Amino acid sequence: MPQSVQVITIDGPAGAGKSTVAKELALRLGVFYLDTGAMYRALTLKAIRSGMNLEDASGLVDLARGTRIRLENHNSGTKVLLDGEDVSDAIRSPEVTNKTFYIARTGGVREILVGWQREIGARQSIVIEGRDVGTVVFPKATHKFYLDADFEERARRRIKELREKGKQIDEDSLKTELKERDHKDFTRSIGPLKIADDAVVIDTTHMTVNGTVDEILKHIKNGS
């Protein structure tokens, strides 16, 4: 990695504020925001559309090899292009959300996507967020952060986010899904969610987005 290129990683469970914080941090630093989850979601969408058996690991690897995913940062958010098609909204459907773990747990697919992410990070300074970006994707990142929040707060944020998008939400069902997602993230054999030894841990339960970004910037300035 060239000395002038900075890679800032943000890991953590769903609802901890990673995406919102990473976007704002990238904006303030004037660097590229890389949403790894969007890449996995895009490939999941393609697999669903193709009618693939999501348990077919070799088929998913072949699918990934023949796929082009491009991320573009815009004022309105990240545009996700899947083989040239804008799927920014389509990848946020509950079906894609609930099936992305099939893609995420497939070793051969992760190798391909991690390769794409490393290529992007080798070319330019980035803020990247995900589940294993500080432990697996960029183990030698310039700065590493791990965001967390208590379960009820993470669920509340997720419910609020979906309702603001006009979706009807059953709170109990969403909490059950979030618990299942946590379990899958922490226990999968490939790229599990864990705290990097050299990551700064920030509990965002009682913090605003701007407050969290301010805290991260303080650590970056101090070289931690």
Side-chain angles (χ1 to χ4, degrees):
M1 184 186 305
Q3 214 166 16
S4 58
V5 170
Q6 287 208 338
V7 173
I8 300 164
T9 63
I10 300 179
D11 287 307
K18 298 186 306 298
S19 298
T20 315
V21 167
K23 286 174 197 171
E24 179 61 25
L25 179 63
L27 191 64
R28 290 211 215 169
L29 292 172
V31 302
F32 188 80
Y33 161 59
L34 177 51
D35 179 357
T36 62
M39 300 175 92
Y40 286 97
R41 285 171 174 271
L43 196 58
T44 303
L45 176 65
K46 184 171 180 176
I48 292 170
R49 286 178 172 179
S50 304
M52 281 193 64
N53 174 5
L54 297 179
E55 301 274 6
D56 178 7
S58 62
L60 292 174
V61 170
D62 288 341
L63 186 76
R65 285 186 181 132
T67 300
R68 288 181 301 111
I69 297 173
R70 178 177 171 82
L71 304 180
E72 296 179 352
N73 287 177
H74 296 275
N75 291 336
S76 56
T78 299
K79 181 184 282 189
V80 184
L81 299 172
L82 173 63
D83 296 326
E85 177 194 352
D86 184 353
V87 295
S88 308
D89 292 330
I91 64 170
R92 303 296 172 184
S93 73
E95 183 183 16
V96 171
T97 297
N98 293 334
K99 291 182 176 177
T100 299
F101 79 94
Y102 287 104
I103 304 294
R105 73 180 186 183
T106 305
V109 173
R110 290 190 75 87
E111 283 180 21
I112 293 169
L113 267 64
V114 166
W116 294 347
Q117 292 155 15
R118 286 175 177 163
E119 284 176 14
I120 295 170
R123 294 195 304 264
Q124 62 194 321
S125 292
I126 61 171
V127 174
I128 177 172
E129 55 97 354
R131 299 292 192 278
D132 63 349
V133 293
T135 53
V136 175
V137 186
F138 290 104
K140 295 183 179 179
T142 322
H143 303 280
K144 298 180 186 179
F145 297 91
Y146 184 98
L147 302 190
D148 208 348
D150 69 42
F151 180 81
E152 289 299 324
E153 175 61 17
R154 292 195 288 119
R156 186 195 68 77
R157 290 174 184 172
R158 185 71 180 138
I159 290 165
K160 180 173 179 284
E161 177 191 0
L162 292 171
R163 283 184 173 157
E164 284 175 352
K165 291 178 180 177
K167 299 188 186 301
Q168 296 295 318
I169 300 300
D170 180 280
E171 293 190 17
D172 290 337
S173 296
L174 184 135
K175 287 181 179 180
T176 299
E177 287 175 8
L178 189 58
K179 283 179 182 174
E180 290 174 353
R181 190 168 170 188
D182 281 353
H183 179 72
K184 288 169 185 170
D185 283 342
F186 283 108
T187 61
R188 68 183 179 221
S189 58
I190 307 290
L193 171 61
K194 59 183 180 180
I195 304 171
D197 293 337
D198 51 349
V200 174
V201 180
I202 300 174
D203 185 340
T204 69
T205 304
H206 303 293
M207 297 177 75
T208 63
V209 171
N210 284 326
T212 305
V213 174
D214 289 343
E215 182 69 15
I216 290 175
L217 287 170
K218 195 188 308 177
H219 283 285
I220 291 174
K221 186 178 179 183
N222 294 335
S224 56

